[in-house]
Amino acid sequence: MSGFGGFLLRRAAGTVVTLLAISVIVYVVFYVTPGNVAQITCGPRCSPEQVHQVAEQLKLGDPLYVRYWHFLQGLFVGQDFSTGTSVEHCAAPCLGQSYQTGQQVLDIILAKLPVSVSLVLGAMVLWLLLGIGTGVLSAWRRGRLSERVLTAVTLAGTATPVFVIGLVLMIVVCGELQLLPFPQYVNFSDDPEQWAWNLLLPWLSLALIEAASFARLTRAAMLETLAEDHIRTFRAYGVAERSVVGRHALRGALAPVIALNANNVGSAIGGAVLTETLFGLPGIGQELVHAVKVVDLPVVVGMVLVTGFFVVLANAVADVLYAVADRRVVLA
Amino acid sequence: MSRMEAADAGRAGAADTGRAGAADMRADMSLVEVTDLTVEFGALRAVDGLSFSLAKGAALALVGESGSGKSTVAGALLGLHRGTGARVGGAVRVAGTDVQAASEEELRRLRGARAAMVFQDPLSSLDPYYAIGDQIAEVYRVHARVSRRAARARAVDVLDRVGIPDAARRSRSRPHEFSGGMRQRALIAMALACEPDLLIADEPTTALDVTVQAQILDLLHGLRAETGMGLLLVTHDVGVAAESADDILVMRHGRAVERGPVAAVLAAPAEPYTRELLDAVPRVDARRTGSPATDEVVLEATGVRREFGRGKRAFAAVDDVSVTVRRGETLGVVGESGSGKTTLGRMLVGLLEPTAGEIRYAGRPHTGVNPAVQMVFQDPVSSLNPRRSVGESIADPLRARGDRDEARIRGRVRELLERVGLEGAHYDRYPHEFSGGQRQRIGIARALAAEPRAIVCDEPVSALDVTTQAQVVALLGELQRELGLALVFIAHDLAVVRQVSDRVAVMRRGRLVEYGPADEVYDTPREPYTQQLLAAVPALDPELAARRRAARRTPAAA
Amino acid sequence: MSEALAAVGTAGTDSSVPAVSGARQFWRRLRAQRAALGAAAVVALLVLVALAAPLLTALEGQDPTTYHPALVDSARGGVPIGSFGGIGADHWLGVEPQTGRDMFARLVYGARVSLGVALAATMIQVAIGVAAGVAAALGNRWVDQLLSRATDVIVSMPLMIMALALLAIVPSSFPRPVLVTLVIGLIGWGTIAKIVRAQTLSLKGLDYVSAARLSGWGTWRVARRELLPGLAAPVITYAALLVPTNISVEAALSFLGVGVKPPTPSWGQMLTAADVWYQAAPQYLLLPAGALFVTVLALTVLGDGVRTALDPRAASRLRVGTGRKDAAAQKGAAQDTAAQDSAAQESAATGKEASA
């Protein structure tokens, strides 16, 4: 399949270009446009001497492209920092260091990443199951009472912000009914069962709103496919309705659902920030909010780059899956 | 002998027991028995008291223009209107099943197994996501208790029978990997899989090129001879009906107008509407008469080439084509899909720039659009902006020229509307208030507003019914005589082109195959491709059609 | 002439050309939807409340920023004194825990922030998105490549994360609501640009645009007269769905404490501490949460209604955003003569569906 190989190659090249473009934009927005870069990078509580030191480290005297080149070098091959007395090596992908805590940004992020990944991936499984299931059911039961109820529920779901669902769930389930304790993150490797129980509410809060939008899309895509000519063909050949809906209509609805899932990874990362803050989960979202509040710029920029990387990756994977689902894309 | 019964029986005196008894007996004999069928969609009565029957192994063509209800009848035979909100009245018996009274289960056993349907658009009628062999196997397994493996083998078997080369391998392809003709063959293979008694073909060749159409019609003919199945052919094309059916039923507004053996009806139509319909069908052997052609060259293409795409995917849609159009003359451009005829037309009017070669207007090279060279488009829906009144669209060339006198513009537009056979008062109406033929007239009026010397008509009548087609063609001829227009008439229909053209260019894969006076090209074609095209045009005479079919088969067998 | 009869039921047979020929038809289709009508009434009421906030609070005799330490029980950590969070004639919806600020005043002024920020941000998103989309579709290959790549990049940046990051580096002297508006507006235009580009490309291929070029008009005039009106339907539709999203984003940013800063009231900000107080002062949780829910729901239902009214068929397609299928359908529709035969059936069927 040389056509498919070529497609993968083109897509990979596109992904790299997008990632580079993101790095340029992030660099320009955060390390060029603010007036006093050294002051902002160092943080509000820095003394003039510290700011001067940071300015030296960032080589602010160099031309713009040289500085960006150093930044890029850090990302790909690593970088050496002189902290006045000693030289510290920052291995690739180097995201710089926090001047407030002295830690390397990558270490901060890596320490928090498992929590966020657990949250988003678990929620994704939940929203795909719930959303596609509801969508298929309401397309199948079109025009009946059950469909109307489902439509109303999903509409209400799309209209409820993540933190409102989370607040209500937490208050009702943990506070009033005391069915679950307030979530405390437990490492998967320590105790998988406790890990799941403690993440149940965060998963639900994050998944419900996404599931609602999936239900709406799946229903619409299935109804659209059901109106197509080839569905008429199978009906005219006596194929049972169960098979027409479950096999042919669902297959046609798959491609747009995959496309939406990639889009939703971005909004789910935003939702994860809210969920982590609300439930006090020590993930990168909570860390980001903290970093924003204390203006720890290197950490903030690192988070932006890492989340951007994940979204671009999700889009690339979705494109490939889309092409697998619908081979005609490869030819286009 | 006509194999079709005089089926109005059901409508007349039902009290007559003798006749009722006869009808019962006949029902046992016949494959399809439709009595007093009505189908209503809301307030619209699409089929209105239609009765007919079809004997085992016979072939009947339902012929009619758009809105005649012919496709609705085809759907009613398989009970496809169930659950769509349509009200169906009357009685339909197909292969022993009372379609109206049948349970869902009985209907499913009828569909595909005893009566199978072939649809118009072979691309959209197959599931794009599954291999063609799998789709046929799926349908086969609905009706036959066999293993997956056996069903796949059956699929390969029927694909082979409809002439798909290397069927075992191609059965694993998806529909988009097939050409249009191959897809239609695959659909027919699906229909054959369960060896039905009746094949219902709804416009099976409308989306296909004329040479492919001939192949598909030959295939249907051969299969019918081989299997003895009955055929109900739904078509707008009288020629297709003449090629493939024994009997014909002409429909209009949901009712039967005339019926009988094809040869008899076509040779001596009894009803005025049938006559009108037949008169409107363009004949491939009818010469153009009364042409106002002169020697003054208006528009000229010299060695034009147009490429699309870049790098490895680049291809030339038009390659080294030179044509001229003179004042008062019509140049016909014919070709099948992908021949580059539309690209050539768009270069002539300046909507596309040639990659090489040049377009000359009045002897001088010209690039870009030129108000003196206008275009009439194929699709009457997309050629008018739905958000602007038709008067505004027609007035565009006047305003673009700098005319600011509102009263004069309105007056001129009114004149133009009347000139193309519409009412001047239609200025403020919107496109959706007009029929396809009327919209095409509006498009012509807009072209005329620019006071052009040449008009390129890109398939101007291919989306229209045959009677409307004739009217629009007549209008173009009149305008040409009156204004001395140079016309370029692009079409896939060889008969229409002959009717209107002084000279003809035959195109294939971007190149000019044959170019010369229309009568020469049509009467004594030099190139094998032109001969092949002309041989594929359906004949209105069934006997001639049979001779042609035999002739087509001989070189294939050799 | 037999053509006159055929005109019945041919309108709207081609899905690529929305059969909208005027605002009147749009209003008629919108009015036919009861849910959308109700939602429109709710939205109108909310806008009215937001506009009349100073008047309403003057009527109550309160303002959103004055502290009332006497109305909270400092011994119990600041729980409002009185039943249901201190609801009474003076304070219609009670007072805020700890500070004693008037809830009603904060709620109606919060509507100003929510709606104002969301609407202004939507306008910025639409302006940039339409400009980028149209330019990409009409420009040459390089312009298209550049803009499409930029759109890809913008779409890849998670809105919340970027907004949080940007809010960190801007000096706090910058007026916060304006900043939040700008941040949401400048980051969230990617999807609308993609939709506009696809729609412009498919419109550009339509014959009536070619016809306008042939009549001698210049490119700009053709774009303005023939293309831009065709963009109105998808743009309005998508914009209507962007407003509730932007309300949620603003509320989320304020909830996280990086959006609108006190003392300016905002619904999201009011919810920040609500989980602590829900037992003592349930209205402190329920009022802003309910306000957010009702606003977002009403705007979403209205957006759906607008979509259905503008283009009933393309409604389901918009969220997917690929124009591929349209192009194929268009090509097919142009070729078949016989397709018109079933057009009558189809329009009858859709008519029935709409009335059901």
Side-chain angles (χ1 to χ4, degrees):
Chain A
M1 290 228 88
S2 71
F4 201 71
F7 169 80
L8 283 181
L9 218 62
R10 280 200 306 279
R11 197 62 196 78
T15 306
V16 170
V17 171
T18 308
L19 284 172
L20 281 176
I22 289 182
S23 77
V24 172
I25 290 180
V26 167
Y27 191 80
V28 169
V29 167
F30 295 100
Y31 286 123
V32 179
T33 29
N36 194 343
V37 176
Q39 174 75 60
I40 292 182
T41 308
C42 188
R45 285 188 211 90
C46 280
S47 63
E49 295 84 64
Q50 283 171 305
V51 171
H52 184 72
Q53 204 183 343
V54 169
E56 298 249 296
Q57 275 186 22
L58 292 177
K59 300 194 176 74
L60 285 179
D62 288 349
L64 196 57
Y65 64 91
V66 175
R67 279 156 59 199
Y68 173 70
W69 181 246
H70 280 302
F71 173 75
L72 210 58
Q73 243 177 355
L75 285 180
F76 286 99
V77 293
Q79 212 174 7
D80 285 328
F81 275 108
S82 71
T83 52
T85 50
S86 62
V87 175
E88 228 176 278
H89 182 69
C90 172
C94 175
L95 297 169
Q97 66 169 352
S98 161
Y99 292 96
Q100 294 183 11
T101 62
Q103 277 180 291
Q104 295 212 347
V105 174
L106 188 67
D107 295 340
I108 300 178
I109 292 177
L110 285 181
K112 310 280 184 180
L113 204 56
V115 182
S116 300
V117 170
S118 304
L119 177 62
V120 173
L121 283 186
M124 191 191 291
V125 171
L126 208 58
W127 82 55
L128 285 175
L129 288 177
L130 274 176
I132 296 175
T134 314
V136 169
L137 202 63
S138 65
W140 176 292
R141 312 292 297 176
R142 196 184 183 196
R144 319 234 182 128
L145 183 69
S146 50
E147 189 234 343
R148 289 181 181 209
V149 172
L150 284 177
T151 307
V153 169
T154 50
L155 192 63
T158 52
T160 321
V162 171
F163 58 98
V164 174
I165 293 186
L167 259 178
V168 172
L169 276 179
M170 188 161 73
I171 287 170
V172 172
V173 177
C174 307
E176 291 297 313
L177 303 177
Q178 304 208 324
L179 290 174
L180 286 170
F182 285 95
Q184 285 275 319
Y185 186 73
V186 177
N187 271 325
F188 180 79
S189 49
D190 294 346
D191 185 348
E193 200 186 327
Q194 278 305 308
W195 170 82
W197 275 117
N198 279 291
L199 278 172
L200 188 60
L201 280 189
W203 280 340
L204 271 176
S205 341
L206 189 52
L208 283 180
I209 188 164
E210 303 288 349
S213 70
F214 266 93
R216 279 158 62 99
L217 176 87
T218 309
R219 174 178 178 274
M222 288 211 32
L223 290 181
E224 197 173 323
T225 316
L226 280 172
E228 277 175 15
D229 281 352
H230 67 262
I231 295 295
R232 181 189 61 183
T233 305
F234 290 101
R235 286 191 177 136
Y237 276 92
V239 175
E241 195 62 18
R242 180 165 31 86
S243 171
V244 169
V245 173
R247 193 172 142 86
H248 296 283
L250 185 60
R251 186 66 174 73
L254 210 58
V257 168
I258 291 172
L260 180 75
N261 195 37
N263 272 339
N264 283 28
V265 167
S267 69
I269 288 178
V273 174
L274 291 163
T275 320
E276 287 170 13
T277 308
L278 186 66
F279 289 99
L281 299 175
I284 59 170
Q286 199 190 33
E287 181 64 32
L288 174 63
V289 174
H290 172 74
V292 166
K293 282 184 177 159
V294 301
V295 200
D296 193 345
L297 193 63
V299 175
V300 171
V301 172
M303 299 274 185
V304 171
L305 284 174
V306 168
T307 49
F309 173 77
F310 277 116
V311 175
V312 172
L313 203 67
N315 274 311
V317 169
D319 273 4
V320 173
L321 285 179
Y322 196 110
V324 171
D326 188 349
R327 287 294 171 86
R328 290 170 298 177
V329 174
V330 179
L331 298 170
Chain B
M1 183 193 88
S2 161
R3 270 174 277 185
M4 190 176 65
E5 317 295 328
D8 275 328
R11 283 177 117 182
D16 187 334
T17 47
R19 277 184 68 178
D24 279 344
M25 269 185 63
R26 219 171 37 230
D28 290 336
M29 302 284 297
S30 59
L31 191 54
V32 180
E33 187 72 48
V34 172
T35 318
D36 207 16
L37 176 69
T38 55
V39 183
E40 285 172 292
F41 301 102
L44 181 83
R45 184 170 274 215
V47 181
D48 188 3
L50 185 76
S51 303
F52 67 89
S53 67
L54 178 67
K56 283 199 172 72
L60 169 68
L62 293 184
V63 176
E65 298 188 295
S66 51
S68 63
K70 54 190 191 301
S71 291
T72 311
V73 175
L77 292 188
L78 291 180
L80 291 180
H81 299 302
R82 271 199 194 178
T84 63
R87 282 192 308 284
V88 184
V92 177
R93 286 187 76 84
V94 176
T97 306
D98 183 344
V99 175
Q100 294 288 83
S103 68
E104 285 295 322
E105 191 49 43
E106 284 169 323
L107 259 189
R108 281 187 41 212
R109 277 204 299 270
L110 167 72
R111 293 173 179 177
R114 272 171 290 162
M117 193 148 173
V118 174
F119 297 96
Q120 171 181 353
D121 183 355
L123 177 57
S124 65
S125 296
L126 289 163
D127 191 328
Y129 299 112
Y130 293 100
I132 282 172
D134 289 339
Q135 298 187 44
I136 296 175
E138 183 188 351
V139 165
Y140 183 56
R141 287 194 58 189
V142 169
H143 300 289
R145 292 190 173 279
V146 294
S147 69
R148 228 169 258 275
R149 218 188 149 84
R152 275 306 305 247
R154 173 75 185 164
V156 173
D157 191 37
V158 286
L159 282 171
D160 187 50
R161 233 167 105 202
V162 297
I164 303 275
D166 198 1
R169 192 174 58 83
R170 295 316 298 267
S171 73
R172 288 190 290 271
S173 303
R174 271 165 253 246
H176 70 270
E177 295 166 285
F178 271 31
S179 69
M182 296 247 288
R183 281 181 212 130
Q184 196 56 283
R185 282 173 193 269
L187 262 185
I188 293 173
M190 183 184 273
L192 283 182
C194 300
E195 294 178 339
D197 302 323
L198 171 67
L199 184 68
I200 303 167
D202 185 2
E203 301 274 9
T205 58
T206 306
L208 305 176
D209 281 327
V210 59
T211 49
V212 183
Q213 161 169 298
Q215 291 164 12
I216 295 294
L217 292 180
D218 288 353
L219 171 67
L220 283 177
H221 199 269
L223 288 172
R224 218 155 65 71
E226 214 175 292
T227 63
M229 65 183 173
L231 174 69
L232 185 90
L233 179 73
V234 174
T235 181
H236 70 284
D237 188 332
V238 184
V240 168
E243 288 260 341
S244 338
D246 311 316
D247 295 298
I248 188 169
L249 193 157
V250 180
M251 286 184 70
R252 188 191 197 191
H253 304 329
R255 291 193 206 96
V257 174
E258 186 164 359
R259 62 183 87 203
V262 172
V265 172
L266 296 190
E271 297 294 321
Y273 175 70
T274 317
R275 260 196 306 261
E276 191 193 330
L277 194 67
L278 285 175
D279 285 345
V281 175
R283 314 287 163 127
V284 78
D285 50 3
R287 298 158 171 264
R288 169 157 209 211
T289 51
S291 161
T294 66
D295 281 340
E296 182 193 345
V297 173
V298 177
L299 197 58
E300 206 174 349
T302 51
V304 290
R305 176 185 170 85
R306 172 70 201 202
E307 289 174 12
F308 289 107
R310 288 181 300 126
K312 259 189 283 177
R313 283 187 286 177
F315 78 102
V318 170
D319 189 7
D320 192 22
V321 171
S322 302
V323 289
T324 52
V325 206
R326 302 185 176 88
R327 186 175 145 81
E329 174 198 62
T330 304
L331 170 69
V333 180
V334 281
E336 299 188 294
S337 51
S339 64
K341 54 189 193 300
T342 295
T343 307
L344 175 65
R346 291 190 158 250
M347 284 195 286
L348 283 172
V349 298
L351 283 173
L352 278 177
E353 295 301 327
T355 314
E358 63 183 12
I359 303 294
R360 302 168 76 89
Y361 169 74
R364 272 187 297 278
H366 192 97
T367 52
V369 296
N370 174 2
V373 184
Q374 288 294 316
M375 191 163 199
V376 173
F377 297 89
Q378 170 181 14
D379 180 9
V381 177
S382 80
S383 63
L384 292 169
N385 189 337
R387 291 170 203 85
R388 300 179 65 200
S389 75
V390 300
E392 285 301 306
S393 289
I394 297 172
D396 262 350
L398 303 175
R399 292 188 209 277
R401 217 162 40 200
D403 203 335
R404 291 286 174 272
D405 182 346
E406 217 30 57
R408 197 167 62 216
I409 289 174
R410 275 200 167 248
R412 177 76 184 124
V413 170
R414 186 162 299 136
E415 261 171 52
L416 287 166
L417 279 169
E418 279 161 11
R419 183 62 205 87
V420 298
L422 298 169
E423 282 172 42
H426 286 166
Y427 188 101
D428 293 310
R429 294 213 183 166
Y430 284 88
H432 69 265
E433 298 173 61
F434 296 92
S435 70
Q438 288 170 326
R439 283 187 227 192
Q440 221 49 330
R441 288 169 189 270
I442 294 164
I444 293 170
R446 176 177 54 194
L448 289 179
E451 289 172 14
R453 295 188 60 205
I455 300 181
V456 176
C457 306
D458 185 8
E459 298 271 11
V461 295
S462 64
L464 306 178
D465 276 328
V466 61
T467 48
T468 320
Q469 212 174 56
Q471 291 159 2
V472 171
V473 164
L475 172 67
L476 284 169
E478 262 172 53
L479 292 168
Q480 181 177 48
R481 268 188 294 280
E482 201 175 297
L483 306 168
L485 290 169
L487 290 181
V488 179
F489 196 102
I490 300 169
H492 68 280
D493 186 330
L494 285 105
V496 177
V497 168
R498 166 118 213 215
Q499 200 182 6
V500 302
S501 306
D502 298 296
R503 285 179 311 121
V504 169
V506 181
M507 289 186 71
R508 187 191 198 191
R509 292 185 197 142
R511 290 180 160 273
L512 213 53
V513 174
E514 195 157 352
Y515 178 46
D519 294 342
E520 255 173 52
V521 173
Y522 276 79
D523 294 338
T524 52
R526 280 173 291 127
E527 297 296 321
Y529 178 67
T530 316
Q531 292 162 4
Q532 199 188 328
L533 272 184
L534 285 167
V537 175
L540 281 180
D541 175 2
E543 261 182 57
L544 177 62
R547 275 208 307 279
R548 287 239 199 106
R549 175 172 296 127
R552 279 198 295 265
R553 201 173 306 145
T554 332
Chain C
M1 219 180 294
S2 62
E3 289 172 46
L5 277 160
V8 182
T10 50
T13 50
D14 188 341
S15 59
S16 65
V17 184
V20 181
S21 56
R24 221 183 315 148
Q25 200 171 356
F26 169 72
W27 288 120
R28 210 192 54 220
R29 291 221 198 103
L30 191 63
R31 273 205 308 272
Q33 305 171 66
R34 258 185 301 164
L37 221 56
V42 173
V43 171
L45 188 74
L46 282 164
V47 171
L48 218 66
V49 165
L51 288 176
L55 207 71
L56 289 170
T57 46
L59 218 62
E60 193 201 17
Q62 301 293 339
D63 69 83
T65 47
T66 307
Y67 283 41
H68 300 283
L71 295 175
V72 294
D73 187 349
S74 52
R76 285 169 54 219
V79 174
I81 298 166
S83 55
F84 300 111
I87 289 180
D90 286 343
H91 297 278
W92 297 349
L93 296 176
V95 294
E96 207 176 46
Q98 280 188 311
T99 62
R101 289 181 292 199
D102 183 69
M103 279 295 289
F104 177 77
R106 290 191 75 71
L107 209 61
V108 294
Y109 270 93
R112 282 194 145 189
V113 172
S114 278
L115 291 172
V117 167
L119 286 175
T122 305
M123 275 183 231
I124 297 174
Q125 289 167 337
V126 168
I128 301 179
V130 170
V134 169
L138 296 184
N140 62 27
R141 202 153 51 82
W142 295 110
V143 174
D144 184 22
Q145 273 290 323
L146 190 73
L147 286 172
S148 296
R149 193 54 71 191
T151 310
D152 278 350
V153 170
I154 273 293
V155 168
S156 300
M157 298 211 174
L159 176 62
M160 277 289 293
I161 308 290
M162 266 310 268
L164 277 169
L166 282 173
L167 291 169
I169 60 164
V170 178
S172 48
S173 54
F174 203 90
R176 224 49 190 181
V178 179
L179 180 62
V180 173
T181 306
L182 282 176
V183 164
I184 298 176
L186 291 177
I187 306 171
W189 52 268
T191 312
I192 199 158
K194 282 192 162 188
I195 291 174
V196 167
R197 178 178 173 274
Q199 178 75 7
T200 312
L201 281 179
S202 74
L203 283 175
K204 205 171 80 167
L206 288 181
D207 288 341
Y208 67 76
V209 177
S210 299
R213 280 176 62 197
L214 284 176
S215 64
W217 288 123
T219 312
W220 169 237
R221 166 94 180 200
V222 172
R224 199 160 50 87
R225 292 294 293 269
E226 313 284 342
L227 287 179
L228 290 184
L231 292 177
V235 168
I236 292 173
T237 300
Y238 193 70
L241 293 170
L242 270 177
V243 178
T245 311
N246 288 339
I247 287 195
S248 298
V249 171
E250 183 278 320
L253 290 174
S254 300
F255 173 78
L256 292 174
V258 292
V260 177
K261 292 266 168 72
T264 315
S266 148
W267 294 342
Q269 183 203 103
M270 290 163 94
L271 284 168
T272 312
D275 58 329
V276 182
W277 298 102
Y278 75 93
Q279 273 176 320
Q283 103 282 19
Y284 188 49
L285 167 74
L286 294 178
L287 286 175
L292 259 178
F293 177 73
V294 169
T295 310
V296 176
L297 184 66
L299 283 165
T300 309
V301 173
L302 181 62
D304 277 356
V306 166
R307 169 159 66 179
T308 311
L310 278 174
D311 189 355
R313 288 224 216 162
S316 59
R317 219 175 293 131
L318 262 175
R319 283 213 161 198
V320 189
T322 57
R324 206 171 288 122
K325 212 180 277 171
D326 296 23
Q330 208 178 304
K331 212 185 259 169
Q335 279 171 355
D336 335 326
T337 3
Q340 293 173 4
D341 205 35
S342 55
Q345 294 177 25
E346 209 174 299
S347 60
T350 37
K352 188 190 164 283
E353 200 187 315
S355 64

